[in-house]
Amino acid sequence: MPDFIERFGQPLGANGSMVLTSSRQSIITSLLSAGTFVGALAQAFTSDRFGRKGSIIIWASIFTVGVLIQTATNRSVVQLVIGRFVAGLGVGALSAIVPLYNGEAAPKKIRGAMLVFYQLQIISGLFLSYVIDLATHSIKGSGSWRIPVGLQLVWGVVLIGGMLLLPESPRHLLGRGHEAEAQKVIASLNSVPFEDPLVTSAMEELKAAIREENDGGKATWMECFSTRNMLWKRTINGMMIQFLQQLNGQNFYYYYGDTFFKSAGTTLSPYVIQVILGAVSVAGTVPALYLIETWGRRRSLLTGAAIQAVCALIAGLVGHYFVPVGTDLKPVSELTARNKQGGNILIAFAVLHVMAFSVFWGPTPWVYLGESFPLRVRPKGIALGSATNWLWNFLLGFFSPRIAARIGPLILLIFFGMLVVAFFYVWLLIPETKGLSLEEVDEMYRSGVKPWKSAEWKPSHKYGDAVIDGSEKRPVEKRVSSGTSDAGVHHHSEKKVNGGQSEFVENA
């Protein structure tokens, strides 16, 4: 985009031609990442005070203001980076609040799929941005960069408008004492009348959980690392899984995809290569909607780590020994058959690596993060996990190009090592949370079950289910039975109530 370089670059040489130096690129890029880190932490203060719904609207508005500042920039680098920082605040905050909201509002049977769908929307947005960049980068004038930046306003407005139509999280409402409103939301989410016993059952279960969580008074940041209900383990797991996601190595291919494709003898532009990799990411995220609830969280993470480790190892070694990169990069006409063969292998495993990430490690850490914490510390726990993700996103974006400039594709061996660490970390420390309500996740952590045995673990009981005897409703403690409908409702074959009416199991 020559116009962007001419406006925000620095003069170089006697002729005064403008260039975008690596230091200036680093500043422009890193300010967005700095904003996301701050925003991911700051949302914890708004999520409880203004609610999940209100916080999403607030931070989406902040993001929109940041986009406006960038779009209105003429030649001021300061204004540009301030706009990126402000937009980053919104991006970082929303990356934490949206999984929080989805986790609290979605029925537990589809909670994982809902959070994967959230990741699919992100990947689809990135892919669309690549397509727009491809379509506009050759436009003369500021439209080449103002159009891609300015179009973000549309999505900010859509998010704000959409949230105005959605309800607040029933867990948050009940936690703030808005019992009647929480009942209405539960009824609406389950498409049943306000007086339905399903709503009564859900309210009793949520009340019991909230009373237990609030016994210790107001939650603090340090409580996320306390021994109470194994919170320290949940917090460390949430932060580690986000850290390991960033060290999967898939972003390296976006940085060096141009070199890989050229080494195979292609003449594709970097914009086309981004579109190709973006399309692979979208295609990979679609099956995750199914696998997250059939394979579960642990199996997805273990499978993804193993596949990506193999890809990183092969791509790193082949790239180093067969493919000319950096200063050794040759024109297409001078590439040998060995170079092209190595380039083809490198491209194949790069695409497979990106695909495996999109299926397994792209969405699953966000699903796990959104369902790991009790209501009492949930905003803070998710904030710490999200902030860890954005911190390492910034560090990798800043240091990876410099490391790769020294050792080239061998940097993939570093990612290979981290993927091996990820495999064993998941095996030893990450329990399976598939099919459990958020209250049942609490019980599982308290039970001390070993993570590698957690897939077979069953909750001991359910609180708050309503047994209807004539017109009387009374909460009882009852063993969990199998069989969940798509609406998050259990049908108890051993106990038919009111002619077989199904009983509510709390939305997770």
Side-chain angles (χ1 to χ4, degrees):
M1 299 179 182
D3 184 81
F4 186 88
I5 296 174
E6 194 276 329
R7 289 172 184 268
F8 304 108
Q10 295 171 289
L12 182 68
N15 59 1
S17 59
M18 304 297 287
V19 296
L20 202 59
T21 62
S22 58
S23 61
R24 181 152 293 190
Q25 288 183 54
S26 178
I27 292 173
I28 294 173
T29 303
S30 63
L31 261 292
L32 176 70
S33 297
T36 57
F37 175 76
V38 175
L41 293 174
Q43 63 78 30
F45 298 97
T46 63
S47 294
D48 287 331
R49 182 178 179 84
F50 302 106
R52 290 26 167 172
K53 175 179 176 178
S55 290
I56 291 175
I57 293 173
I58 289 171
W59 290 105
S61 300
I62 291 173
F63 165 78
T64 304
V65 170
V67 173
L68 280 171
I69 294 172
Q70 294 175 74
T71 308
T73 304
N74 190 21
R75 293 182 178 274
S76 172
V77 175
V78 174
Q79 181 178 341
L80 180 68
V81 297
I82 288 175
R84 287 180 63 79
F85 180 81
V86 173
L89 291 173
V91 172
L94 292 170
S95 73
I97 302 175
V98 173
L100 172 66
Y101 179 79
N102 285 343
E104 292 185 350
K108 68 179 180 181
K109 186 175 182 180
I110 64 169
R111 183 179 65 234
M114 286 290 292
L115 290 168
V116 171
F117 192 71
Y118 155 75
Q119 177 71 10
L120 177 60
Q121 295 295 83
I122 292 175
I123 297 299
S124 299
L126 289 172
F127 172 68
L128 181 60
S129 72
Y130 298 149
V131 173
I132 293 172
D133 284 344
L134 175 63
T136 62
H137 78 276
S138 59
I139 294 176
K140 294 182 178 179
S142 63
S144 60
W145 59 272
R146 287 191 201 273
I147 291 174
V149 173
L151 282 175
Q152 296 175 90
L153 292 170
V154 175
W155 309 117
V157 172
V158 167
L159 179 57
I160 294 169
M163 285 308 302
L164 293 174
L165 304 176
L166 293 177
E168 179 57 88
S169 158
R171 271 187 175 83
H172 174 76
L173 289 171
L174 196 56
R176 303 289 286 186
H178 304 302
E179 185 171 331
E181 192 174 350
Q183 284 182 289
K184 291 179 182 178
V185 171
I186 292 172
S188 174
L189 290 173
N190 289 274
S191 301
V192 296
F194 181 79
E195 303 83 6
D196 195 280
L198 306 178
V199 179
T200 303
S201 174
M203 291 293 293
E204 291 298 327
E205 185 172 347
L206 281 176
K207 285 178 183 178
I210 290 171
R211 278 195 301 268
E212 182 178 348
E213 291 168 1
N214 289 339
D215 282 345
K218 187 176 181 180
T220 65
W221 287 94
M222 287 307 298
E223 187 173 338
C224 293
F225 300 94
S226 70
T227 57
R228 181 176 182 263
N229 292 342
M230 303 297 287
L231 286 176
W232 68 272
K233 181 179 288 187
R234 303 196 215 186
T235 302
I236 295 299
N237 278 349
M239 295 173 69
M240 278 297 295
I241 213 76
Q242 293 291 327
F243 160 69
L244 292 168
Q245 185 202 51
Q246 282 295 324
L247 287 167
N248 268 222
Q250 81 290 340
N251 285 333
F252 174 78
Y253 301 110
Y254 284 91
Y255 288 120
Y256 280 83
D258 183 33
T259 298
F260 295 163
F261 279 75
K262 285 180 179 178
S263 67
T266 66
T267 57
L268 298 175
S269 74
Y271 296 99
V272 175
I273 293 170
Q274 278 195 329
V275 170
I276 293 172
L277 293 177
V280 170
S281 295
V282 173
T285 308
V286 172
L289 291 166
Y290 172 78
L291 293 174
I292 196 71
E293 296 297 357
T294 53
W295 280 24
R297 285 55 159 163
R298 270 178 60 86
R299 189 176 177 186
S300 292
L301 292 171
L302 290 169
T303 303
I307 293 174
Q308 290 178 87
V310 172
C311 292
L313 179 62
I314 294 175
L317 293 176
V318 170
H320 179 70
Y321 289 107
F322 288 83
V323 178
V325 295
T327 57
D328 297 326
L329 188 63
K330 304 174 184 177
V332 174
S333 59
E334 297 180 14
L335 292 174
T336 65
R338 175 187 172 93
N339 295 151
K340 291 182 180 180
Q341 185 180 36
N344 288 333
I345 294 173
L346 195 54
I347 291 171
F349 281 94
V351 170
L352 182 59
H353 192 150
V354 172
M355 172 69 79
F357 175 83
S358 300
V359 176
F360 302 114
W361 274 84
T364 309
W366 292 104
V367 173
Y368 185 80
L369 186 66
E371 61 190 12
S372 292
F373 300 99
L375 176 67
R376 176 179 171 79
V377 297
R378 190 169 297 142
K380 294 178 174 65
I382 293 178
L384 290 170
S386 300
T388 301
N389 185 289
W390 287 114
L391 175 62
W392 281 95
N393 178 274
F394 162 71
L395 293 174
L396 286 170
F398 188 83
F399 288 109
S400 288
R402 290 165 172 77
I403 297 173
R406 290 177 175 268
I407 64 176
L410 286 180
I411 191 176
L412 288 169
L413 299 187
I414 298 175
F415 297 128
F416 163 74
M418 293 308 305
L419 285 161
V420 172
V421 171
F423 182 91
F424 286 105
Y425 187 90
V426 171
W427 177 264
L428 294 172
L429 295 168
I430 301 297
E432 180 57 72
T433 56
K434 181 191 73 167
L436 301 177
S437 73
L438 300 184
E439 284 66 42
E440 289 164 350
V441 171
D442 282 346
E443 183 188 345
M444 180 181 64
Y445 269 100
R446 291 195 301 268
S447 73
V449 64
K450 301 298 183 184
W452 52 90
K453 295 181 179 179
S454 59
E456 289 77 39
W457 180 86
K458 301 296 181 185
S460 62
H461 52 256
K462 289 292 293 182
Y463 292 101
D465 287 349
V467 174
I468 312 302
D469 184 11
S471 59
E472 180 186 3
K473 301 177 183 179
R474 55 184 179 88
V476 300
E477 180 180 315
K478 184 176 53 185
R479 295 285 170 180
V480 175
S481 60
S482 60
T484 306
S485 73
D486 288 342
V489 177
H490 276 273
H491 301 274
H492 299 275
S493 58
E494 75 276 16
K495 182 179 288 189
K496 294 293 183 179
V497 184
N498 280 358
Q501 183 175 0
S502 61
E503 298 176 293
F504 180 88
V505 170
E506 175 267 331
N507 277 318

PDB file of all heavy atoms in Angstrom, residues 321-336:
ATOM      1  N   TYR A 321      17.029 -27.481   5.373  1.00  0.00           N
ATOM      2  CA  TYR A 321      17.982 -28.222   4.552  1.00  0.00           C
ATOM      3  C   TYR A 321      17.650 -28.218   3.060  1.00  0.00           C
ATOM      4  O   TYR A 321      18.524 -28.508   2.232  1.00  0.00           O
ATOM      5  CB  TYR A 321      18.069 -29.671   5.041  1.00  0.00           C
ATOM      6  CG  TYR A 321      18.762 -29.801   6.380  1.00  0.00           C
ATOM      7  CD1 TYR A 321      18.030 -30.086   7.532  1.00  0.00           C
ATOM      8  CD2 TYR A 321      20.125 -29.619   6.495  1.00  0.00           C
ATOM      9  CE1 TYR A 321      18.652 -30.200   8.771  1.00  0.00           C
ATOM     10  CE2 TYR A 321      20.768 -29.729   7.731  1.00  0.00           C
ATOM     11  CZ  TYR A 321      20.026 -30.018   8.850  1.00  0.00           C
ATOM     12  OH  TYR A 321      20.651 -30.126  10.077  1.00  0.00           O
ATOM     13  N   PHE A 322      16.424 -27.904   2.684  1.00  0.00           N
ATOM     14  CA  PHE A 322      16.043 -28.025   1.279  1.00  0.00           C
ATOM     15  C   PHE A 322      15.633 -26.704   0.631  1.00  0.00           C
ATOM     16  O   PHE A 322      15.671 -26.587  -0.587  1.00  0.00           O
ATOM     17  CB  PHE A 322      14.868 -29.006   1.137  1.00  0.00           C
ATOM     18  CG  PHE A 322      15.239 -30.437   1.362  1.00  0.00           C
ATOM     19  CD1 PHE A 322      15.306 -30.962   2.641  1.00  0.00           C
ATOM     20  CD2 PHE A 322      15.516 -31.282   0.292  1.00  0.00           C
ATOM     21  CE1 PHE A 322      15.648 -32.276   2.863  1.00  0.00           C
ATOM     22  CE2 PHE A 322      15.858 -32.603   0.498  1.00  0.00           C
ATOM     23  CZ  PHE A 322      15.934 -33.109   1.787  1.00  0.00           C
ATOM     24  N   VAL A 323      15.225 -25.732   1.444  1.00  0.00           N
ATOM     25  CA  VAL A 323      14.598 -24.532   0.882  1.00  0.00           C
ATOM     26  C   VAL A 323      15.494 -23.315   1.082  1.00  0.00           C
ATOM     27  O   VAL A 323      15.901 -23.031   2.217  1.00  0.00           O
ATOM     28  CB  VAL A 323      13.222 -24.277   1.538  1.00  0.00           C
ATOM     29  CG1 VAL A 323      12.595 -23.005   0.973  1.00  0.00           C
ATOM     30  CG2 VAL A 323      12.298 -25.466   1.308  1.00  0.00           C
ATOM     31  N   PRO A 324      15.813 -22.579   0.030  1.00  0.00           N
ATOM     32  CA  PRO A 324      16.582 -21.336   0.179  1.00  0.00           C
ATOM     33  C   PRO A 324      15.690 -20.227   0.732  1.00  0.00           C
ATOM     34  O   PRO A 324      14.643 -19.920   0.177  1.00  0.00           O
ATOM     35  CB  PRO A 324      17.027 -21.020  -1.247  1.00  0.00           C
ATOM     36  CG  PRO A 324      15.992 -21.656  -2.118  1.00  0.00           C
ATOM     37  CD  PRO A 324      15.531 -22.888  -1.382  1.00  0.00           C
ATOM     38  N   VAL A 325      16.089 -19.644   1.850  1.00  0.00           N
ATOM     39  CA  VAL A 325      15.308 -18.578   2.468  1.00  0.00           C
ATOM     40  C   VAL A 325      16.241 -17.427   2.811  1.00  0.00           C
ATOM     41  O   VAL A 325      17.467 -17.545   2.756  1.00  0.00           O
ATOM     42  CB  VAL A 325      14.588 -19.067   3.745  1.00  0.00           C
ATOM     43  CG1 VAL A 325      13.556 -20.127   3.420  1.00  0.00           C
ATOM     44  CG2 VAL A 325      15.590 -19.601   4.767  1.00  0.00           C
ATOM     45  N   GLY A 326      15.651 -16.304   3.184  1.00  0.00           N
ATOM     46  CA  GLY A 326      16.439 -15.141   3.603  1.00  0.00           C
ATOM     47  C   GLY A 326      17.346 -14.651   2.493  1.00  0.00           C
ATOM     48  O   GLY A 326      16.935 -14.472   1.345  1.00  0.00           O
ATOM     49  N   THR A 327      18.604 -14.465   2.816  1.00  0.00           N
ATOM     50  CA  THR A 327      19.566 -13.955   1.831  1.00  0.00           C
ATOM     51  C   THR A 327      19.870 -14.993   0.755  1.00  0.00           C
ATOM     52  O   THR A 327      20.404 -14.657  -0.300  1.00  0.00           O
ATOM     53  CB  THR A 327      20.872 -13.556   2.535  1.00  0.00           C
ATOM     54  OG1 THR A 327      21.391 -14.687   3.252  1.00  0.00           O
ATOM     55  CG2 THR A 327      20.636 -12.413   3.506  1.00  0.00           C
ATOM     56  N   ASP A 328      19.534 -16.274   1.023  1.00  0.00           N
ATOM     57  CA  ASP A 328      19.797 -17.329   0.043  1.00  0.00           C
ATOM     58  C   ASP A 328      18.650 -17.517  -0.938  1.00  0.00           C
ATOM     59  O   ASP A 328      18.725 -18.365  -1.833  1.00  0.00           O
ATOM     60  CB  ASP A 328      20.048 -18.663   0.762  1.00  0.00           C
ATOM     61  CG  ASP A 328      21.289 -18.602   1.647  1.00  0.00           C
ATOM     62  OD1 ASP A 328      22.236 -17.896   1.263  1.00  0.00           O
ATOM     63  OD2 ASP A 328      21.285 -19.248   2.716  1.00  0.00           O
ATOM     64  N   LEU A 329      17.563 -16.743  -0.759  1.00  0.00           N
ATOM     65  CA  LEU A 329      16.399 -16.897  -1.624  1.00  0.00           C
ATOM     66  C   LEU A 329      16.773 -16.602  -3.073  1.00  0.00           C
ATOM     67  O   LEU A 329      17.388 -15.585  -3.381  1.00  0.00           O
ATOM     68  CB  LEU A 329      15.278 -15.955  -1.174  1.00  0.00           C
ATOM     69  CG  LEU A 329      13.918 -16.139  -1.864  1.00  0.00           C
ATOM     70  CD1 LEU A 329      13.357 -17.523  -1.572  1.00  0.00           C
ATOM     71  CD2 LEU A 329      12.941 -15.067  -1.387  1.00  0.00           C
ATOM     72  N   LYS A 330      16.377 -17.518  -3.982  1.00  0.00           N
ATOM     73  CA  LYS A 330      16.738 -17.408  -5.389  1.00  0.00           C
ATOM     74  C   LYS A 330      15.526 -17.006  -6.220  1.00  0.00           C
ATOM     75  O   LYS A 330      14.385 -17.249  -5.823  1.00  0.00           O
ATOM     76  CB  LYS A 330      17.265 -18.747  -5.901  1.00  0.00           C
ATOM     77  CG  LYS A 330      18.434 -19.332  -5.139  1.00  0.00           C
ATOM     78  CD  LYS A 330      18.764 -20.720  -5.666  1.00  0.00           C
ATOM     79  CE  LYS A 330      19.880 -21.373  -4.856  1.00  0.00           C
ATOM     80  NZ  LYS A 330      20.145 -22.760  -5.337  1.00  0.00           N
ATOM     81  N   PRO A 331      15.742 -16.429  -7.393  1.00  0.00           N
ATOM     82  CA  PRO A 331      14.633 -16.223  -8.319  1.00  0.00           C
ATOM     83  C   PRO A 331      14.039 -17.569  -8.708  1.00  0.00           C
ATOM     84  O   PRO A 331      14.726 -18.605  -8.664  1.00  0.00           O
ATOM     85  CB  PRO A 331      15.302 -15.540  -9.521  1.00  0.00           C
ATOM     86  CG  PRO A 331      16.564 -14.964  -8.987  1.00  0.00           C
ATOM     87  CD  PRO A 331      17.009 -15.875  -7.893  1.00  0.00           C
ATOM     88  N   VAL A 332      12.761 -17.559  -9.085  1.00  0.00           N
ATOM     89  CA  VAL A 332      12.080 -18.806  -9.436  1.00  0.00           C
ATOM     90  C   VAL A 332      12.832 -19.558 -10.522  1.00  0.00           C
ATOM     91  O   VAL A 332      12.946 -20.791 -10.498  1.00  0.00           O
ATOM     92  CB  VAL A 332      10.629 -18.504  -9.884  1.00  0.00           C
ATOM     93  CG1 VAL A 332       9.947 -19.775 -10.398  1.00  0.00           C
ATOM     94  CG2 VAL A 332       9.827 -17.903  -8.738  1.00  0.00           C
ATOM     95  N   SER A 333      13.390 -18.846 -11.491  1.00  0.00           N
ATOM     96  CA  SER A 333      14.079 -19.482 -12.622  1.00  0.00           C
ATOM     97  C   SER A 333      15.346 -20.224 -12.191  1.00  0.00           C
ATOM     98  O   SER A 333      15.819 -21.112 -12.908  1.00  0.00           O
ATOM     99  CB  SER A 333      14.437 -18.436 -13.677  1.00  0.00           C
ATOM    100  OG  SER A 333      15.281 -17.433 -13.117  1.00  0.00           O
ATOM    101  N   GLU A 334      15.903 -19.894 -11.028  1.00  0.00           N
ATOM    102  CA  GLU A 334      17.144 -20.515 -10.573  1.00  0.00           C
ATOM    103  C   GLU A 334      16.923 -21.622  -9.548  1.00  0.00           C
ATOM    104  O   GLU A 334      17.878 -22.237  -9.069  1.00  0.00           O
ATOM    105  CB  GLU A 334      18.063 -19.447  -9.970  1.00  0.00           C
ATOM    106  CG  GLU A 334      18.508 -18.388 -10.967  1.00  0.00           C
ATOM    107  CD  GLU A 334      19.409 -17.349 -10.321  1.00  0.00           C
ATOM    108  OE1 GLU A 334      19.902 -17.605  -9.189  1.00  0.00           O
ATOM    109  OE2 GLU A 334      19.634 -16.300 -10.925  1.00  0.00           O
ATOM    110  N   LEU A 335      15.686 -21.895  -9.188  1.00  0.00           N
ATOM    111  CA  LEU A 335      15.413 -22.933  -8.214  1.00  0.00           C
ATOM    112  C   LEU A 335      15.697 -24.310  -8.802  1.00  0.00           C
ATOM    113  O   LEU A 335      15.331 -24.609  -9.937  1.00  0.00           O
ATOM    114  CB  LEU A 335      13.952 -22.871  -7.749  1.00  0.00           C
ATOM    115  CG  LEU A 335      13.537 -21.659  -6.912  1.00  0.00           C
ATOM    116  CD1 LEU A 335      12.041 -21.683  -6.660  1.00  0.00           C
ATOM    117  CD2 LEU A 335      14.300 -21.621  -5.588  1.00  0.00           C
ATOM    118  N   THR A 336      16.344 -25.167  -8.012  1.00  0.00           N
ATOM    119  CA  THR A 336      16.614 -26.533  -8.441  1.00  0.00           C
ATOM    120  C   THR A 336      15.403 -27.419  -8.156  1.00  0.00           C
ATOM    121  O   THR A 336      14.472 -27.029  -7.432  1.00  0.00           O
ATOM    122  CB  THR A 336      17.833 -27.099  -7.706  1.00  0.00           C
ATOM    123  OG1 THR A 336      17.518 -27.207  -6.313  1.00  0.00           O
ATOM    124  CG2 THR A 336      19.042 -26.182  -7.897  1.00  0.00           C
TER     125      THR A 336
END
